[in-house]
Amino acid sequence: LKPFWCKLLASAGAFLLRVLQRPPTMTEGESAEGPRLGTYVGKKRDCSCPGDHVSWEISLLPDRVCTIGCRSELSLSKGGLQAWQVEGAWAWEADDEEVLVDITRDDPLGGPKREREIAMPLCEDGSLVFNFAGREVSCIWERPPRDTIQEQLDAMSLKSSKR
């Protein structure tokens, strides 16, 4: 194989080994070290220009799935940032007290590119620090992960739930 592919396969193998050696994900309310599952939200005022208030959402989901999204209050035509959302696989690095995210699906409109690893330190207050493109924002835990089974039950009519 060419050197590029060898290096890529070696780094992917090392990441998978780290993920597989991690303890199971935490559930809401556990007091063990590591991040809480759920959505973390961070906001920054006047990010790219005056009036451009940007929010970032980081969702740490079961099965080591992570989504990171960026939204601007100001439209793109008025100087706001382009909205984007990426997905990845996350792992808790206890030694460095940070969440590592390996991007598996990038967004052509922006955000971290595929196969890039993002490190987000976990602060003492439980927030995550997201740093991308020279912008650092503290993201605070806001809500637990969605319960898709409960949402399906809520969407069912009374008649269909009795069957």
Side-chain angles (χ1 to χ4, degrees), residues 18-108:
R18 274 189 275 146
V19 169
L20 294 174
Q21 292 175 342
R22 300 283 175 242
T25 57
M26 291 178 29
T27 58
E28 183 183 354
E30 283 189 30
S31 60
E33 66 176 305
R36 282 174 79 178
L37 292 180
T39 301
Y40 295 75
V41 177
K43 298 181 182 200
K44 193 165 192 174
R45 299 180 58 79
D46 302 326
C47 190
S48 64
C49 66
D52 182 28
H53 309 314
V54 178
S55 62
W56 284 269
E57 266 194 21
I58 301 167
S59 295
L60 299 180
L61 306 171
D63 299 326
R64 304 284 184 202
V65 175
C66 175
T67 62
I68 303 173
C70 174
R71 304 276 181 268
S72 177
E73 290 181 15
L74 196 61
S75 71
L76 189 60
S77 63
K78 294 182 180 176
L81 290 178
Q82 176 69 51
W84 52 263
Q85 182 168 332
V86 298
E87 291 180 10
W90 69 274
W92 170 243
E93 183 64 48
D95 295 338
D96 296 328
E97 293 187 353
E98 62 187 11
V99 174
L100 299 176
V101 180
D102 185 38
I103 303 300
T104 56
R105 187 183 65 83
D106 58 5
D107 189 329

